[in-house]
Amino acid sequence: MKELLSSTAFLVVNKTLAKNIGLKETVLLADLISKEEYFINNGMTNGWFFNTESNIQKDTTLTPYQQRKAIKTLKEHNIIETKRMGVPAKQHFKINEEQVVKFLNNKLLSKSTTINNNKEITLNNNISIKEKFLNDVMVLDFSEEMKLDFINYWTEKSSDRLNAKMRYQKQATFDVKLRLDRWAKNSAKWNTKKAGTSKLDAQIDEWQKAKSLL
């Protein structure tokens, strides 16, 4: 999960987190994860690491005031913990990775799950069939964006109001892991093909689009 939010050369901002807890908070979290990775690579074992306001400002452009507000929000969501340690005392951080994953999963579920007039069919544990499908997808090791696209496609319902089924329910068999593996491979092929499109092909496409508007 942390690889989705950070990289050694730049900061990767997770859009789901940014929409729900704020852009500055997400930028700060990405910077903290990068710093944590640095300490892990240099022998950190207890989960705590330090960072200074000046370093954070240099890496993120966040002012000390913005940092304090962002830290407060992250702590309210239990995404990070802080305490002052050492001599002289320095601000130390601890990232609760499980809470980050839980927060992302809950937000994706709440964004994707809708209840129609007929209501979702529920299982014995009061989890809807759609929610179970979402949970089965979200635990797999793929990018959040890919999983959300996969969910949106396969949970789309037919127009038949009397017997509306989600797309995946119409399949004779449906193994979520195998289907998502295939989805990832097809996405990679499509991106490769798209990247290989010649400049002339692109110009022809644009010309055809323009012609259709005449």
Side-chain angles (χ1 to χ4, degrees):
M1 175 56 62
K2 290 178 181 177
E3 286 77 7
L4 296 175
L5 305 179
S6 175
S7 178
T8 55
F10 51 86
L11 299 177
V12 179
V13 177
N14 183 282
K15 291 185 287 186
T16 300
L17 279 178
K19 289 177 182 177
N20 288 283
I21 65 174
L23 180 58
K24 294 181 179 66
E25 289 76 5
T26 308
V27 168
L28 176 60
L29 178 60
D31 183 58
L32 291 176
I33 290 173
S34 293
K35 181 64 69 173
E36 180 194 43
E37 291 175 351
Y38 168 82
F39 278 97
I40 289 174
N41 292 334
N42 286 273
M44 182 189 75
T45 58
N46 64 359
W48 289 92
F49 60 94
F50 74 87
N51 205 354
T52 64
E53 286 186 347
S54 59
N55 279 339
I56 294 174
Q57 184 168 9
K58 181 179 67 175
D59 293 337
T60 67
T61 74
L62 295 175
T63 66
Y65 173 73
Q66 291 172 327
Q67 292 175 42
R68 289 192 290 272
K69 288 190 64 177
I71 289 171
K72 180 180 178 182
T73 301
L74 291 172
K75 290 176 68 174
E76 287 174 350
H77 289 291
N78 197 31
I79 291 174
I80 66 170
E81 300 174 44
T82 65
K83 62 180 177 181
R84 299 189 70 83
M85 296 187 294
V87 180
K90 295 180 181 178
Q91 178 88 303
H92 283 66
F93 299 87
K94 185 176 183 180
I95 300 170
N96 297 324
E97 182 175 355
E98 291 183 0
Q99 182 66 13
V100 176
V101 175
K102 181 180 178 181
F103 187 91
L104 284 171
N105 286 350
N106 287 341
K107 291 302 178 181
L108 287 171
L109 286 172
S110 63
K111 180 168 63 174
S112 301
T113 304
T114 57
I115 302 177
N116 59 24
N117 292 332
N118 297 323
K119 297 184 179 180
E120 297 281 358
I121 298 173
T122 57
L123 304 175
N124 291 334
N125 59 358
N126 293 323
I127 298 177
S128 73
I129 291 176
K130 185 173 183 179
E131 286 177 330
K132 182 180 183 305
F133 179 82
L134 299 182
N135 284 326
D136 290 343
V137 173
M138 292 309 302
V139 298
L140 298 176
D141 188 20
F142 294 88
S143 73
E144 300 298 320
E145 183 176 1
M146 179 175 293
K147 287 188 287 191
L148 187 55
D149 287 342
F150 181 84
I151 289 168
N152 288 337
Y153 177 81
W154 283 110
T155 58
E156 183 179 357
K157 286 190 173 181
S158 63
S159 58
D160 184 356
R161 292 187 177 182
L162 296 178
N163 189 28
K165 288 186 176 181
M166 289 176 278
R167 183 176 275 124
Y168 86 90
Q169 292 177 302
K170 299 177 184 179
Q171 307 299 309
T173 60
F174 198 96
D175 185 294
V176 172
K177 176 65 166 60
L178 293 177
R179 293 273 184 165
L180 196 45
D181 280 334
R182 191 179 308 158
W183 182 283
K185 291 177 182 177
N186 289 338
S187 295
K189 290 180 181 179
W190 169 251
N191 290 335
T192 300
K193 182 178 179 181
K194 185 176 180 181
T197 302
S198 69
K199 184 176 181 180
L200 177 60
D201 290 336
Q203 290 174 338
I204 292 174
D205 287 341
E206 291 301 318
W207 178 81
Q208 289 176 335
K209 291 177 183 177
K211 184 178 178 182
S212 66
L213 297 176
L214 296 178

